[in-house]
Structures are given as structure tokens and as C-alpha cells.
Amino acid sequence: MKKIALIGSTGSIGVNTLKVIESHPDKFRVVSLAAGKNADLLLEQARKFKPALICIRDREQAALLKSKLARTGIRVVWGEEGLIEASSCANADTAVFSVVGAQGLRPLIAAIKSGKNICFANKEPFVIAGELINRLAAKHGVKILPIDSEHSAVFQCLEGKKKDEIRRIILTSSGGPFRAVTSRELRKVTVRDALNHPRWKMGKKITIDSATLMNKGLEVIEAANLFNMPVDKIEVLIHPEAIIHSLVEFIDGSHMAQLAIPDMRIPIQYAIGYPERLDSNGLPRLDLTHVRRFHFEKPDMEKFPCLGLGYEAKRTGGTMPAVLNAANEMAVGSFLEGKISFVDIPLRIERVMKKHRVVRKPGLEDILESDRWAREVFNAGRSVGCR
Ligand SMILES: NC(=O)c1ccc[n+]([C@@H]2O[C@H](COP(=O)([O-])OP(=O)(O)OC[C@H]3O[C@@H](n4cnc5c(N)ncnc54)[C@H](OP(=O)(O)O)[C@@H]3O)[C@@H](O)[C@H]2O)c1
């Protein structure tokens, strides 16, 4: 029985993780849950899964939850300290990270230091501090298992293979909602258009990242860090059907791929169940005669400059991925608030990256400082009306 700390339980990945846990009651037990603002759903989850501890962002909401959960024996904590406590909860052996953004980094480090195996959907910490996380994981002897469907696919293709047998990793992308629109039309897209992803139902931040292809830029960095591969051996291939979740080409020309219906419960279950492969318990199965045709194309790097910015940040290295990520978080937030247009997103990120003086071989403080710096520079650009 695996004992799970679930960090970000009320979001898209969090809710799907609880569905997987519920479908295998003999395999998993929830010992802590953490959420941001959605106190109603957290309360419902706490009553159903009976964890030892829950965490919510605000103190007032924590007080309210405490009174509603009186006499259940469930402890309620709050804020960043609470998040760290929920991540390193003594009776958990596995921590699942499904919060959004760089804010997941400190809790993730706390979980590794307390010896938990890590299943992560929250890619941003791996983008900004992947090398540091790998070193810590090796030191504490914990496993790092990806939930992102592309990285789960690559992880599965690479099992039992030697690193020098790999020629390249090919990450697939559905292409997002604007694959077929012209650069001119892209200037007019609204928040509503950008939130309308053709294949996946996800949180707002990753949905916008998928529309700009920054999600793929972040995933290229995530893959380079996770699989310890040079970034130029990682390629992106547009595959609108989203059935082939990624591929690996080996030096003899063989390609291996992982295929499944586009449902995040599959990679979530693979990560939390690892090394066991569990039954999909009634999920619809892939019928290739129904799909019939696969399509592939190269990504349009001119129309979607965010993908190129991802490669550039990783080639530059040091603190640049942290700057890319922070500027992107700010740009996505500004776009969602209607303050900048869709095509401004890459321009604003690039402007911040150009101003950055890179710190080589950064420690945690350098990374956090670069993250703060990039957010400030982004805001300074906005306050003087830069567009
Ligand atoms: N969704 C997908 O299919 C998918 C696929 C691959 C990778 N990912 C990655 O997985 C991560 C989560 O994505 P998502 O789509 O699940 O996002 P989401 O639906 O927006 O969920 C984010 C979760 O984080 C919680 N949260 C936010 N701020 C918090 C804080 N300060 N303290 C504690 N919890 C906090 C939210 O709580 P409240 O809702 O209560 O505020 C929510 O539970 C992202 O890094 C994304 O890139 C997602």
C-alpha cells in the first residue's frame, strides 16, 4: 500500500490522481492533501479520503476548515510552511506534485529531503532547477517519476536501455488550438479562444502554454533535465491526434513509442503505481481502427517563438531557464487578465531574457533570486507601458 501526499489536489491533475487512487483502494492511501483557494472541494476530498493532514493557502480558510473538520482527527495547516509540512508528511512514502508554477520548488525539495519518492506533473521546478533536484534525489535515494504524458512515454521507452543507445528523443505536441491559424489571425485571438484546447482539459496556465507552444519549450527543458540529455537531441513533432505520446529513436534507427488515449489518468497511474503496471479499470481503450490516420508536421517556430525561447534558455543554461519560466508565468497571468495580447507573450518574455546576466552553476538561492528578478523586470516593463 503506497501512502500518498497529494500537493495540488483540487486542480485538474489532482482530481484525476484522486480518481486513480479511488479505483485502486488496495494499492493507495491518501495521507495529506494541499490546495490553493478551493476550500469547498478540499473539504469534500478530506471527508472522503480521510487524510491525516490538509493544507490550504490562506489562514482564514484554514480556520474555517478546522471548525468544519473538528472531531475528525484531520489536522489543518496553511501557507507555504503548511505546504512544506504536507509535502514532507511523516507517514507518506510518495509525494505527488500537481500544483502549478515555480512555487512548487520548495515543497518538492522538502519532500525529497524527507525521503519521499516523487511523482511530478508540476514541471516548472524541473525547468528551473532540474540539475539541483537530480543531485538531491540521488543523495537521498529517492525516485523521480514523471506524470507529464510525453515524459511518461519517454520514461517507458527508455526502461532497460543504455544512454549511449539513444539517438534522439521526440516529444509530440497536439499543436494546440492555433495550429492551423495564420500569424495575422494570431494577433486577434482572445483569452476564450486560447483556453479552448482541442484535446486536453487542463488548468488555465498550462492551457495557455499549450496555445503558445511554451508548454513544449518547458517540456524540452524538463526532458533534458530529467533524462540527462543534450537539449539538441530533443525534438518536437506536431501530432494533432495526441495518441502517440512521444518517441525515442535509438542508434540502430529503431523508434519506440508509447500510445494511449489522451487521458491523464494513464500516466498518473503509471507514475504512482511504478514499478507495477496496474489495470486501467474501465477506462476507454485505444482503438486504432477508429483513429485510422496519424498526422505529423514540424512545429512552426516563427509563428510560435516561445518554443525557440525554451531551446535558447536551456542552451544558455545557468539561471536562464528560471528567468524564462518566471517571465512566462507573469506573461500568462497578464494575458489572462486582458493586460497584454496573445502575440505579446513571447515578446515580453524575450525582453526580460535579454536583460538577464546569467549565473553559471546556480544554487537554490541564485535560482530563486533570478525568479524574483525576472518578475520585477517584467512588472517594470509593464508599468512604463512597454508593449
Ligand atoms: N492538466 C494537465 O493535463 C497537465 C498535464 C501535464 C502537466 N501538467 C502540469 O501539472 C501542473 C498542474 O496543472 P493543472 O492543469 O492540474 O493545474 P490547475 O488545474 O490550475 O491546478 C493547480 C493546483 O495547484 C493548487 N495551488 C495553486 N496555488 C497553490 C498554493 N499556493 N498552495 C497550494 N496549492 C496551490 C490549486 O489549488 P486551487 O484550485 O484550490 O486554487 C490546484 O489544486 C502544472 O505544472 C502543469 O504544467 C498538467
Side-chain angles (χ1 to χ4, degrees):
M1 173 80 77
K2 288 195 182 173
K3 288 170 272 166
I4 310 267
L6 176 54
I7 310 306
S9 64
T10 47
S12 156
I13 293 287
V15 166
N16 276 310
T17 302
L18 289 173
K19 283 185 187 158
V20 171
I21 290 174
E22 216 180 341
S23 72
H24 292 283
D26 54 327
K27 298 282 178 193
F28 308 112
R29 186 158 65 81
V30 176
V31 297
S32 69
L33 294 170
K37 292 188 203 146
N38 194 343
D40 290 344
L41 182 54
L42 181 61
L43 179 65
E44 198 184 299
Q45 293 174 341
R47 285 185 171 140
K48 185 165 181 183
F49 291 93
K50 302 183 174 40
L53 181 139
I54 63 168
C55 172
I56 189 124
R57 183 158 52 197
D58 294 333
R59 188 185 203 151
E60 294 73 30
Q61 284 193 310
L64 210 63
L65 284 173
K66 213 176 256 183
S67 69
K68 291 192 172 160
L69 290 170
R71 288 189 296 277
T72 60
I74 299 173
R75 270 188 69 214
V76 182
V77 294
W78 63 276
E80 200 189 359
E81 283 313 305
L83 204 55
I84 288 175
E85 201 178 337
S87 311
S88 50
C89 188
N91 36 3
D93 48 48
T94 302
V96 177
F97 281 88
S98 50
V99 285
V100 60
Q103 62 180 345
L105 180 58
R106 278 189 196 276
L108 178 81
I109 288 177
I112 295 176
K113 285 186 173 167
S114 65
K116 318 276 180 256
N117 288 323
I118 305 293
C119 301
F120 78 101
N122 179 209
K123 65 191 77 178
E124 293 87 350
F126 273 83
V127 168
I128 70 177
E131 289 157 26
L132 194 143
I133 292 168
N134 287 340
R135 277 200 302 277
L136 264 183
K139 182 174 164 195
H140 293 274
V142 305
K143 288 193 186 66
I144 303 279
L145 299 156
I147 284 178
D148 229 343
S149 55
E150 296 79 358
H151 301 75
S152 174
V154 173
F155 183 87
Q156 293 178 56
C157 294
L158 289 181
E159 279 224 271
K161 308 295 186 307
K162 296 194 188 101
K163 196 169 165 223
D164 59 8
E165 294 172 352
I166 307 167
R167 183 172 283 157
R168 60 181 175 144
I169 287 173
I170 304 167
L171 300 178
T172 53
S173 161
S174 71
F178 306 133
R179 183 175 62 86
V181 311
T182 64
S183 301
R184 208 185 165 81
E185 286 165 337
L186 216 51
R187 287 193 221 138
K188 292 188 229 133
V189 303
T190 63
V191 170
R192 197 173 161 181
D193 300 331
L195 285 175
N196 188 19
H197 194 277
R199 296 279 169 211
W200 301 95
K201 179 101 195 67
M202 308 177 285
K204 282 186 182 172
K205 196 259 178 184
I206 185 176
T207 305
I208 302 302
D209 285 348
S210 299
T212 60
L213 291 203
M214 178 57 91
N215 185 46
K216 223 36 67 175
L218 298 176
E219 286 180 5
V220 165
I221 305 175
E222 179 189 357
N225 290 340
L226 186 64
F227 303 114
N228 195 14
M229 288 285 288
V231 70
D232 293 311
K233 284 194 168 191
I234 300 169
E235 291 175 22
V236 173
L237 181 68
I238 305 294
H239 164 50
E241 291 80 12
I243 297 292
I244 301 176
H245 294 295
S246 278
L247 309 92
V248 176
E249 183 186 352
F250 294 94
I251 49 174
D252 64 353
S254 298
H255 287 62
M256 288 186 76
Q258 184 256 353
L259 284 70
I261 57 159
D263 188 313
M264 285 308 293
R265 284 173 286 181
I266 296 174
I268 291 169
Q269 179 169 295
Y270 186 75
I272 67 174
Y274 187 85
E276 248 188 289
R277 198 181 278 278
L278 303 173
D279 196 291
S280 62
N281 273 354
L283 277 187
R285 290 179 44 204
L286 175 60
D287 177 355
L288 288 173
T289 60
H290 181 72
V291 183
R292 295 188 55 204
R293 285 200 176 88
F294 284 163
H295 295 85
F296 304 101
E297 59 196 60
K298 286 193 171 171
D300 184 336
M301 307 285 274
E302 274 182 34
K303 196 165 86 178
F304 297 107
C306 284
L307 177 56
L309 292 175
Y311 276 100
E312 188 187 323
K314 182 60 184 163
R315 282 188 199 111
T316 306
T319 44
M320 194 56 101
V323 167
L324 168 93
N325 180 69
N328 180 55
E329 287 188 23
M330 297 299 285
V332 171
S334 296
F335 172 67
L336 286 170
E337 287 168 18
K339 291 179 179 156
I340 65 172
S341 74
F342 186 78
V343 291
D344 279 338
I345 294 174
L347 298 176
R348 297 293 305 273
I349 297 167
E350 191 177 15
R351 192 173 297 157
V352 179
M353 285 171 71
K354 279 195 171 140
K355 290 188 178 150
H356 184 56
R357 291 181 62 182
V358 176
V359 179
R360 304 265 154 223
K361 297 196 188 308
L364 180 60
E365 276 316 312
D366 301 312
I367 290 166
L368 295 175
E369 178 49 36
S370 301
D371 175 282
R372 271 192 296 272
W373 174 89
R375 288 169 203 266
E376 266 173 40
V377 172
F378 184 94
N379 276 337
R382 195 166 61 190
S383 62
V384 293
C386 279
R387 282 188 70 126

